[in-house]
Amino acid sequence: MYGRDPWGGPLEISTTTDSATDDDIRSRDCRDFDRAALPLNNSRPLDETQQSWLLGPSSDQNKKKKYVDLGCLIVSRKTFIWTVGTLLLTGFIAGFVTLTVKTVPRPKGLVSPPDNYSLALNKTLMFFDAQQSGKLPEHNDVSWRGNSCLKDGDSATDFKDLVGGYYDAGDAIKFNFPQSFAMTMLSWSVIEYSAKYEVAGELDHVKSIIKWGTDYFLKTFNSTADSINKLVSQVGVGDTSGGKTNPNDHYCWMRPEDIDYQRPVSQ
């Protein structure tokens, strides 16, 4: 007798008796039972879980591991790793270079020396700094000068505050007419050559010198009066014809900082 075999072949059932033992019969029945438990259509594909259990990872999964899905773009995993690594390395190098540039001390750039005309201009203006009288400003760079003649004007009747201005030449007398001429010429030079002063770096310097002189001049007359009938022309005296009875700026040559005698005012 032949019957249908679920594995595709004919099933032959023998009706003849043989000498098989009971154990052989039970073993054959168990094998037949296991085969019957399998589905008739053994061509049905297994799902991914079954494949992972029975067959290991599929070729599609291996293929997926070789690519990275970025949402809008699918790239090779190797390319993705190289790209990310390159960006990280570039960022590290850029940060290291920036940190090094900012922390390592840099040598100061070489400054070209000033030309001879700029040096001459600076020395000329320094002469006015050295001749300043009164309480010196902070920007006075003449180290060997200090405050001097802070009592100028005490002996005058009309103008009590005559501190400031410039000393004349090598003595300590303040002649207003030579001072006014010097301030006029400096102001005129700034009007004509302000750009040259600025290029030489002396524009602010010369303006401060002019202001020091004009501030003193405002003390030498009554600037609020309708008419001016009094004007200070000189502070100090240098006449030595009367002998050595009274100290003055020509009889007693000394540093202006050491002058402690009363200085007369001419007007």
Side-chain angles (χ1 to χ4, degrees):
M1 177 181 294
Y2 295 92
R4 185 176 182 276
D5 187 354
W7 296 95
L11 177 62
E12 179 179 0
I13 300 177
S14 176
T15 57
T16 61
T17 60
D18 52 15
S19 59
T21 63
D22 293 338
D23 293 336
D24 293 338
I25 295 173
R26 281 195 297 271
S27 177
R28 185 176 66 251
D29 293 340
C30 289
R31 288 195 299 270
D32 293 341
F33 178 80
D34 291 341
R35 291 179 180 179
L38 294 175
L40 298 179
N41 186 9
N42 60 352
S43 62
R44 181 175 63 86
L46 300 177
D47 56 23
E48 294 182 356
T49 303
Q50 293 172 334
Q51 290 181 6
S52 63
W53 290 347
L54 302 177
L55 305 178
S58 63
S59 60
D60 292 340
Q61 289 179 337
N62 292 333
K63 186 176 182 181
K64 288 181 180 179
K65 290 182 178 180
K66 295 181 180 180
Y67 296 91
V68 176
D69 189 357
L70 302 178
C72 60
L73 183 65
I74 298 177
V75 296
S76 170
R77 181 175 295 273
K78 184 177 181 180
T79 303
F80 177 77
I81 294 175
W82 273 100
T83 303
V84 174
T86 302
L87 292 176
L88 292 177
L89 180 62
T90 303
F92 174 79
I93 295 175
F96 179 77
V97 172
T98 303
L99 182 62
T100 303
V101 170
K102 289 186 177 181
T103 55
V104 174
R106 291 173 292 179
K108 296 182 179 180
L110 298 178
V111 180
S112 57
D115 58 89
N116 292 334
Y117 288 102
S118 298
L119 290 174
L121 177 61
N122 178 262
K123 302 302 181 185
T124 301
L125 298 179
M126 186 179 293
F127 168 79
F128 288 92
D129 295 334
Q131 296 298 104
Q132 284 182 333
S133 174
K135 184 176 176 61
L136 300 183
E138 295 181 357
H139 57 264
N140 188 301
D141 296 330
V142 182
S143 60
W144 44 268
R145 284 302 319 278
N147 299 334
S148 61
C149 296
L150 300 179
K151 297 181 180 180
D152 282 353
D154 288 353
S155 63
T157 56
D158 299 319
F159 307 97
K160 292 295 185 180
D161 181 13
L162 294 175
V163 178
Y166 292 95
Y167 299 119
D168 178 72
D171 54 24
I173 302 176
K174 294 191 289 191
F175 295 105
N176 286 11
F177 289 113
Q179 280 190 75
S180 60
F181 176 79
M183 296 300 105
T184 300
M185 296 305 295
L186 282 177
S187 300
W188 194 355
S189 69
V190 172
I191 294 173
E192 293 290 338
Y193 305 108
S194 60
K196 301 296 183 180
Y197 274 109
E198 188 171 8
V199 170
E202 300 289 351
L203 183 59
D204 293 336
H205 189 188
V206 68
K207 285 183 177 180
S208 67
I209 290 174
I210 296 171
K211 186 178 186 301
W212 186 265
T214 53
D215 286 346
Y216 168 74
F217 290 145
L218 291 175
K219 300 178 180 180
T220 61
F221 66 97
N222 186 4
S223 59
T224 61
D226 294 334
S227 60
I228 299 174
N229 53 13
K230 291 183 179 180
L231 182 69
V232 174
S233 60
Q234 179 178 321
V235 177
V237 64
D239 185 9
T240 60
S241 60
K244 300 180 180 180
T245 55
N246 296 321
N248 61 48
D249 298 296
H250 283 178
Y251 165 71
C252 183
W253 292 91
M254 64 174 64
R255 296 171 66 246
E257 291 81 3
D258 297 331
I259 293 178
D260 57 358
Y261 54 84
Q262 192 176 62
R263 289 152 54 89
V265 176
S266 302
Q267 58 184 16

